[in-house]
Amino acid sequence: MAKLIDGKAIAAQIKDECRDRVAGMKAEGIEVTLAVIQVGSDPASTVYVGNKKKACEYVGIRSLAYELPGETTESELLELIAELNGRKDVNGILVQLPLPGHIDEEKVLDAIDARKDVDGFHPQNVGALCIGKPGFVSCTPAGIIQLLKRSGVEIAGKECVVIGRSNIVGKPMALLLLRENGTVTVTHSRTKDLQEVTKRADILVAAVGKPKMITADYVKEGAVVIDVGIHRNENNKLCGDVDFESVEPLCSAITPVPGGVGPMTIAMLMNNCVESVALQQ
Ligand code: NAD
């Protein structure tokens, strides 16, 4: 039977570590502040923003909520970002995605000061990751590295295969595995014979966005399998990109959905907020 990688427990550990560090900073008179901007009232976004606020409260980070109406213009949003960029008392700025269609997401994300970009989406931070310089790293892939390390999975020298090449998961994931000295292959929708490639993986990360697509046919015996996907099945139950029932008996360790990668994203956001203080100094 595969070892279950417990993302809930590891995320709780990281949040507790952040809480201790924030308490230490408070004792030195330093307050950590995150500004969270939501435009419109998309219900899923409202849930995500609420979870981020709750995590801030737990860790001791001050959160400033900007709940803007759906009709907010791009220039109004850019003005707010410019104001927050200039505020010394704001360490992190997060714009909840997706933004309404009339606002250019890329323009907005690029407008955030890279030193306050706690989501790690700014081109400057992506570039820093690429060449191994300090900067913010996208939270989900950063969380996966923590899951592996804290579960005792060695990355150096391992065959690592990432399925998916999105800017927020697949690409930064590949760069982080490379930084940890893995031998990394990135696969995508145009990959020929996907199973032949994924079956070479000692560590397989599925960020494909297709429910239960990764069955036992894609997995080498003894592999470590990380499932990034989040979907609701026909019974409204959560499932991932990996067909857990068929893959679990074959692999050495696996993340469940829910309770695997999901909780790590907010924990790493908290970690990025704490790190922002040092980065800004
Ligand atoms: P995306 O749709 O932007 O990217 C999917 C990638 O999969 C693309 O690069 C595409 O080339 C590749 N792909 C699609 N079909 C394929 C196929 N048949 N074979 C091989 N590759 C294929 O998705 P994303 O934003 O990277 O997210 C991936 C999944 O992770 C989604 O289910 C998303 O909901 C989930 N997600 C979870 C978290 C979390 O916190 N756990 C965070 C972000 C995303």
Side-chain angles (χ1 to χ4, degrees):
M1 233 177 68
K3 173 182 163 173
L4 271 193
I5 299 179
D6 187 346
K8 233 170 138 181
I10 296 173
Q13 211 176 60
I14 291 172
K15 280 192 275 185
D16 283 344
E17 289 165 12
C18 289
R19 195 183 191 182
D20 290 347
R21 289 172 68 191
V22 168
M25 288 181 193
K26 274 196 181 145
E28 290 173 25
I30 301 167
E31 177 144 60
V32 187
T33 300
L34 171 68
V36 181
I37 305 171
Q38 182 182 357
V39 184
S41 54
D42 171 64
S45 292
T46 303
V47 172
Y48 292 139
V49 165
N51 289 342
K52 285 168 190 174
K53 278 190 221 154
K54 259 192 246 161
C56 282
E57 258 168 50
Y58 179 80
V59 168
I61 292 173
R62 182 169 73 123
S63 71
L64 306 177
Y66 293 88
E67 285 148 17
L68 310 181
E71 315 80 67
T72 303
T73 64
E74 187 179 283
S75 56
E76 284 168 336
L77 181 56
L78 291 172
E79 250 172 59
L80 172 62
I81 290 173
E83 181 205 319
L84 295 169
N85 281 342
R87 269 177 65 170
K88 284 216 163 62
D89 67 325
V90 172
N91 307 93
I93 304 170
L94 183 154
V95 178
Q96 184 63 46
L97 302 179
L99 287 169
H102 65 278
I103 299 179
D104 181 345
E105 250 172 40
E106 202 178 317
K107 203 166 166 188
V108 168
L109 295 181
D110 289 1
I112 297 172
D113 184 332
R115 287 162 305 177
K116 298 190 177 187
D117 165 43
V118 283
D119 256 339
F121 295 161
H122 193 283
Q124 198 174 311
N125 284 316
V126 178
L129 170 62
C130 200
I131 58 173
K133 287 202 164 183
F136 293 111
V137 178
S138 177
C139 299
T140 304
I144 292 170
I145 294 293
Q146 288 303 314
L147 283 179
L148 293 169
K149 285 189 168 174
R150 291 176 189 238
S151 306
V153 177
E154 173 88 34
I155 303 171
K158 294 287 174 60
E159 287 284 344
C160 305
V161 175
V162 180
I163 315 175
R165 59 173 165 184
S166 71
N167 288 340
I168 62 165
V169 188
K171 279 185 203 144
M173 186 72 254
L175 290 167
L176 283 172
L177 289 165
L178 190 60
R179 190 200 254 184
E180 298 296 329
N181 301 310
T183 301
V184 183
T185 306
V186 183
T187 63
H188 47 79
S189 52
R190 302 278 187 95
T191 298
K192 284 188 186 143
D193 202 350
L194 182 64
Q195 288 184 16
E196 187 268 321
V197 183
T198 58
K199 278 201 135 183
R200 294 204 299 257
D202 301 312
I203 299 173
L204 180 62
V205 180
V208 63
K210 302 231 153 69
K212 296 192 178 189
M213 179 182 135
I214 307 307
T215 58
D217 297 337
Y218 290 79
V219 180
K220 177 172 85 174
E221 195 167 348
V224 173
V225 178
I226 305 292
D227 189 353
V228 189
I230 313 178
H231 315 275
R232 287 212 177 262
N233 70 10
E234 55 286 356
N235 305 319
N236 207 31
K237 271 186 75 180
L238 287 175
C239 71
D241 289 346
V242 174
D243 178 31
F244 188 89
E245 283 71 30
S246 78
V247 170
E248 188 268 345
L250 190 67
C251 57
S252 61
I254 186 166
T255 57
V257 178
V261 173
M264 295 302 291
T265 301
I266 288 190
M268 296 313 289
L269 172 68
M270 295 299 104
N271 189 64
N272 278 353
C273 291
V274 175
E275 293 288 330
S276 69
V277 174
L279 269 173
Q280 283 152 19
Q281 281 164 0

